[in-house]
Amino acid sequence: MTFNKITSIIDDDSGATAIEYGLIAALVAVALIGALGTLGGDLGTFFTNISGKLPALPN
């Protein structure tokens, strides 16, 4: 290997972009899990109240 090939390998940062996108996706997933965990019980109660107010379907 020549010195130019070694420096081109060291300077190659194309994999860093993929890692950054992966970290952003993981952060968004953690935020969604936290938000849905907090709101999950409230949403269940909300839809239970709505379904209790709807008229029953005929058989």
Side-chain angles (χ1 to χ4, degrees):
M1 281 185 130
T2 64
F3 182 72
N4 289 337
K5 286 185 181 181
I6 293 172
T7 56
S8 69
I9 290 172
I10 293 172
D11 291 337
D12 185 18
D13 59 349
S14 60
T17 308
I19 292 171
E20 290 169 356
Y21 283 128
L23 289 172
I24 291 170
L27 181 64
V28 168
V30 167
L32 280 173
I33 290 170
L36 292 176
T38 305
L39 296 174
D42 294 337
L43 285 175
T45 304
F46 176 74
F47 284 116
T48 301
N49 289 339
I50 290 176
S51 67
K53 293 178 182 178
L54 293 174
L57 294 175
N59 289 336

